Amino acid sequence: DQQVKQNSPSLSVQEGRISILNCDYTNSMFDYFLWYKKYPAEGPTFLISISSIKDKNEDGRFTVFLNKSAKHLSLHIVPSQPGDSAVYFCAASGRRGNKLVFGAGTILRVKS
Amino acid sequence: NAGVMQNPRHLVRRRGQEARLRCSPMKGHSHVYWYRQLPEEGLKFMVYLQKENIIDESGMPKERFSAEFPKEGPSILRIQQVVRGDSAAYFCASSPRQGRTNEKLFFGSGTQLSVL
């Protein structure tokens, strides 16, 4: 039962252009969403988050959009840089917040 | 820079042996989470512990798996009588507080368990 889905296993983008990573969820009890970035042989690193009371959160080159009615969120990276090449995981939690449900990840490749 | 420390980084076991994975949380953190990542999948929650207490073990397999976080020393994830299906990357994360901990989950680099 995949409650958090990242339907694109990989994405390739040219340096300087926008990267858009998508995530869908099925559990309406989720109210907090996060994106983590992971390099090979390292643990995931927190990138950005959004609460369900918002529809947008921005941090530098990274913006997360949340569409609650569609149960969909997306991560925008602009401009994309080669160092952004990594696996990006979408994650969600409910009100108790003590465990995250992760998507399967999207491999982002930024070509220079 | 004392981040979340996991050891060993790689662990090879034969079927039927025991695997012990260790996690030292960040300094000042008293909450530890274990996650498992199978190939081609996302991280799956296993267990959430505070010092000397298991808070949520809803993601732990019913048999062969156990976890502890003693008053002194690292958190230990123990897998008895390992099988090939246990081969995965096991990640530990820590946070300083309860409640909205997710924003401040810091992950270790993981232990890659390979069962021959």
Side-chain angles (χ1 to χ4, degrees):
Chain A
D1 176 24
Q2 278 189 291
Q3 298 185 69
V4 177
K5 298 179 184 179
Q6 294 177 254
N7 291 319
S8 298
S10 64
L11 175 68
S12 187
V13 171
Q14 197 68 33
E15 180 180 7
R17 306 295 286 267
I18 185 171
S19 296
I20 300 176
L21 297 97
N22 294 303
C23 177
D24 297 292
Y25 62 97
T26 56
N27 190 337
S28 57
M29 297 303 291
F30 289 147
D31 68 343
Y32 198 74
F33 305 91
L34 308 92
W35 286 92
Y36 278 83
K37 175 180 178 180
K38 185 182 180 303
Y39 293 116
E42 294 184 13
T45 303
F46 170 76
L47 195 57
I48 192 169
S49 63
I50 188 166
S51 165
S52 59
I53 62 173
K54 294 186 176 182
D55 55 17
K56 177 182 174 181
N57 188 26
E58 192 172 353
D59 183 1
R61 296 186 297 115
F62 303 90
T63 303
V64 56
F65 295 91
L66 175 62
N67 182 333
K68 282 182 63 180
S69 61
K71 293 190 176 70
H72 176 84
L73 63 155
S74 61
L75 174 68
H76 293 211
I77 307 172
V78 56
S80 302
Q81 299 174 354
D84 295 330
S85 297
V87 180
Y88 288 78
F89 291 100
C90 171
S93 72
R95 294 187 185 281
R96 292 188 64 187
N98 66 359
K99 59 189 177 188
L100 299 176
V101 180
F102 282 84
T106 296
I107 301 170
L108 173 66
R109 296 186 185 90
V110 180
K111 299 176 289 186
S112 56
Chain B
N1 179 17
V4 178
M5 302 300 292
Q6 289 188 250
N7 67 82
R9 289 296 304 271
H10 301 275
L11 182 61
V12 180
R13 284 289 177 265
R14 295 190 181 278
R15 280 178 297 170
Q17 290 184 320
E18 178 180 285
R20 284 192 179 225
L21 289 64
R22 294 175 190 78
C23 170
S24 295
M26 285 184 71
K27 187 176 181 180
H29 287 193
S30 59
H31 300 259
V32 166
Y33 305 76
W34 285 93
Y35 286 80
R36 174 166 66 173
Q37 184 182 20
L38 295 169
E40 310 299 325
E41 295 186 15
L43 284 75
K44 296 279 196 297
F45 169 80
M46 299 183 75
V47 63
Y48 163 38
L49 310 104
Q50 293 179 28
K51 285 282 187 182
E52 299 184 281
N53 285 307
I54 297 174
I55 306 302
D56 182 347
E57 55 181 348
S58 58
M60 288 279 270
K62 299 298 181 200
E63 298 176 350
R64 303 187 297 109
F65 284 71
S66 63
E68 62 176 4
F69 188 17
K71 187 176 180 181
E72 301 291 336
S75 175
I76 306 286
L77 179 67
R78 182 182 178 205
I79 311 171
Q80 295 178 290
Q81 299 174 325
V82 296
V83 300
R84 289 212 172 114
D86 296 333
S87 296
Y90 291 82
F91 291 97
C92 170
S94 74
S95 71
R97 60 185 170 87
Q98 200 175 0
R100 273 291 180 227
T101 61
N102 305 303
E103 189 170 5
K104 297 297 182 186
L105 269 187
F106 297 87
F107 281 86
S109 296
T111 293
Q112 181 65 51
L113 173 64
S114 299
V115 179
L116 304 179

